[in-house]
Amino acid sequence: MSTPTPVMIVGAGPVGLTLGSELLQRGIPVRLIEQAERPRPHAKAVLLWPRGIEALGRIGVAEEIVERGHALQAQNYHSGARRLARTRFDGLSGTRYPYALSLSQEETEAVLRERFESLGGRIDFGVRLESLKQTSHGAEAELSALGATWSETCSWVVGCDGAHSTVRESLGVALTGESRPQQFLLADSACETTLAQDEAHYFMTPSGALAVVGLPGGLYRICVSVPPDTRIDDALRLVREAAAERCPVPLELVGEPRTGVFRVHRRAAERFRIGKVMLAGDAAHIHGPAGGQGLNTGLEDASSLGWRLAQVIAGDSGAGVLDDWERERQHVAQGVVDDTDLQTRLWTLKGWRRALRDALIRVAQATGVLERFVVPRQAQLTLGYPGSRQRHGAVRAGHRLPDIQLSGGHWLHRLLDPERPTLLLLASSSSVAAHQLSLEWAKEPRIDVLRVTGAEVRSTLGMGGEAAVVVRPDGVVSWAGPLGGGALGSWLAARYPHA
């Protein structure tokens, strides 16, 4: 009897490739199948926010993604011809990527495929999952290709196979929510316009919404809403007409644009995990394009799952950590679905609701609310997980650890252990408490101990005295508090009882 595949990943899009690389770089073999015959050009996601870029950094591709991408420095909101607000991204703190990055999904996937293959992975194109059945030891997958059908066994399966997921259907998991009576058309094109190419522009008009975002190579992504009953026989013509009508400055598409059409949904799977099968990315949640959240949320699904699944397979953690993953990612996904749905509805308001929306946006701009709260949430830097509300200074359990630049040009996140949690001891080099904790926990294989000296680090993190932070491999804080008093030792002893 053949040995089961440790992990089968269904779907070789950005989420599946990211998860595959996460596992391969931890020594976990994967089988990655994709029903398409070859990589396909996509007119889909183009925005990467800081937290999504950080997820890509954990598999070693952030620098190339940034080099290929186009940094956006601000976004503008218009009601008709009047600009209501302009928010800059350079005010984002606690990240080395204080901007939104535009890059076609086709390019993002190319970088991810190269990384996956460099780690020894192989993508089996043209292989379709027909059905999936869980067994006492894992799952049995029925596959097909070139007219042949066969079965394979695997210990774990992750469905990254999109909105029409066969994995989700095989589990019998419902995708709950609703579809909005809206259609959106998009085109990627060179344009003759005065709109700033390093910014995003949103125009909310009585006839519909128009979004214009700069892309690499001097191109633009143009996205327009159309009534649900519109017949799409010439998408490019409709995009050109909407752009001319809704944009207060000239916006002429030139050359041979690529076009696409999609409908707006707000749906999330009732479960992200059943037994040894999990769902990630669009297989688990789908929503509208507002804010460019979809791809980033999927990348975080994969990044948050990879290290946990590797620990379970290696025997370093129980399967309960996967229940934690499901609870956390369902919480985030529902928040993203709700946020994007609200933004999409705001785009298309009319009458007194439109006037109220405009007034509120102007107030939010004038008071700084947009840049202090809305932009960091768009960047997913302030999204937190449910659970402990314990905090110390600006650091909160369940939230991402701010990434700050250290002396010598290094960044704090680069010091984190990619395989296991890191115990950061933020204290002076002469600290007795830090020295004792280092000696006590240095030999514990399930946690890495790292001392970070320098009062500027503690000050930036809002900590007055010596402190400690336990950080997961995905950059999320598990515990934070003062170094003395015994609370840290008690927490560590409870978490690692055999130390």
Side-chain angles (χ1 to χ4, degrees):
M1 186 175 181
S2 61
T3 303
T5 300
V7 182
M8 176 179 289
I9 301 173
V10 183
V15 178
L17 289 165
T18 298
L19 177 60
S21 295
E22 283 273 0
L23 294 170
L24 286 175
Q25 67 185 7
R26 291 174 170 82
I28 305 298
V30 303
R31 169 96 149 100
L32 178 55
I33 63 171
E34 168 57 56
Q35 69 175 1
E37 297 291 336
R38 61 185 64 83
R40 292 176 293 189
H42 294 274
K44 295 177 69 178
V46 295
L47 280 185
L48 286 165
W49 289 99
R51 196 158 179 172
I53 302 173
E54 289 174 357
L56 296 175
R58 289 191 282 273
I59 59 171
V61 299
E63 284 73 17
E64 185 172 356
I65 289 289
V66 170
E67 183 178 344
R68 292 195 186 198
H70 177 65
L72 303 175
Q73 306 298 337
Q75 58 189 359
N76 303 271
Y77 294 95
H78 295 76
S79 180
R82 294 177 299 133
R83 187 166 73 179
L84 302 175
R86 180 175 185 269
T87 59
R88 294 188 57 83
F89 301 145
D90 56 8
L92 289 169
S93 61
T95 178
R96 80 193 81 166
Y97 309 111
Y99 45 77
L101 191 77
S102 69
L103 184 66
S104 72
Q105 185 170 320
E106 183 180 4
E107 283 283 299
T108 300
E109 286 187 13
V111 174
L112 290 170
R113 276 196 305 275
E114 183 178 343
R115 175 57 174 163
F116 178 76
E117 291 168 352
S118 75
L119 291 167
R122 187 186 75 184
I123 306 170
D124 290 314
F125 287 102
V127 178
R128 177 183 176 84
L129 175 70
E130 297 292 345
S131 65
L132 185 68
K133 180 175 66 175
Q134 295 208 58
T135 68
S136 59
H137 301 292
E140 182 175 320
E142 183 179 349
L143 307 177
S144 66
L146 300 174
T149 302
W150 69 96
S151 294
E152 291 186 14
T153 58
C154 41
S155 299
W156 298 88
V157 179
V158 185
C160 306
D161 49 342
H164 303 288
S165 171
T166 303
V167 175
R168 188 185 65 242
E169 182 179 335
S170 296
L171 289 175
V173 172
L175 196 63
T176 60
E178 59 185 344
S179 297
R180 292 293 184 191
Q182 293 170 311
Q183 293 186 94
F184 281 84
L185 307 178
L186 54 84
D188 294 344
S189 176
C191 291
E192 293 182 359
T193 184
T194 58
L195 293 174
Q197 216 261 334
D198 63 346
E199 300 186 7
H201 311 268
Y202 302 104
F203 301 92
M204 302 172 287
T205 76
S207 62
L210 163 69
V212 184
V213 178
L215 296 176
L219 301 179
Y220 290 83
R221 158 67 58 91
I222 297 95
C223 182
V224 302
S225 65
V226 295
D229 56 351
T230 301
R231 181 178 177 180
I232 313 298
D233 54 0
D234 187 343
L236 181 56
R237 176 182 60 81
L238 293 173
V239 171
R240 282 183 165 137
E241 290 175 353
E245 177 187 3
R246 300 172 191 176
C247 188
V249 300
L251 177 61
E252 182 178 351
L253 285 68
V254 298
E256 299 181 0
R258 295 199 309 181
T259 60
V261 57
F262 60 92
R263 291 186 177 273
V264 175
H265 306 273
R266 56 177 315 273
R267 299 179 183 272
E270 291 183 339
R271 296 290 307 275
F272 283 19
R273 176 192 175 221
I274 294 181
K276 290 195 169 185
V277 182
M278 287 145 287
L279 303 171
D282 286 355
H285 43 78
I286 55 175
H287 46 78
Q293 301 294 294
L295 174 58
N296 296 268
T297 307
L299 293 175
E300 274 291 301
D301 289 346
S303 184
S304 182
L305 176 60
W307 64 272
R308 285 178 161 112
L309 185 54
Q311 286 190 348
V312 172
I313 292 171
D316 295 330
S317 293
V321 298
L322 300 178
D323 293 329
D324 296 338
W325 171 82
E326 180 187 32
R327 183 178 66 256
E328 291 179 355
R329 296 314 299 169
Q330 280 189 307
H331 175 80
V332 168
Q334 191 59 57
V336 170
V337 167
D338 291 343
D339 283 357
T340 55
D341 182 59
L342 174 61
Q343 291 181 63
T344 302
R345 287 187 286 116
L346 287 174
W347 283 358
T348 54
L349 294 179
K350 297 181 180 180
W352 67 266
R353 292 181 177 84
R354 177 189 178 196
L356 178 60
R357 175 202 67 196
D358 294 353
L360 291 175
I361 292 176
R362 285 195 292 267
V363 170
Q365 166 77 16
T367 57
V369 167
L370 289 179
E371 292 190 346
R372 291 200 311 272
F373 298 103
V374 175
V375 172
R377 187 169 179 86
Q378 276 186 299
Q380 300 199 354
L381 297 178
T382 56
L383 293 182
Y385 292 138
S388 171
R389 296 184 180 274
Q390 183 257 354
R391 67 180 298 164
H392 187 58
V395 179
R396 293 184 287 176
H399 287 250
R400 168 188 167 278
L401 177 73
D403 193 14
I404 59 178
Q405 193 166 23
L406 309 174
S407 58
H410 300 292
W411 287 84
L412 184 57
H413 278 203
R414 288 285 173 87
L415 304 181
L416 301 179
D417 193 307
E419 309 289 336
R420 53 186 178 161
T422 301
L423 169 58
L424 292 175
L425 300 176
L426 307 177
S428 67
S429 57
S430 60
S431 169
V432 174
H435 180 67
Q436 291 176 338
L437 281 165
S438 295
L439 290 177
E440 183 178 357
W441 292 96
K443 294 182 180 180
E444 166 55 51
R446 291 169 292 179
I447 192 167
D448 184 32
V449 181
L450 179 67
R451 294 181 66 172
V452 178
T453 60
E456 73 279 359
V457 177
R458 299 195 299 275
S459 176
T460 302
L461 295 176
M463 300 173 176
E466 295 181 337
V469 183
V470 180
V471 191
R472 305 181 335 194
D474 57 0
V476 174
V477 174
S478 295
W479 187 93
L483 198 55
L488 172 61
S490 299
W491 187 89
L492 289 170
R495 183 61 62 95
Y496 306 105
H498 302 297

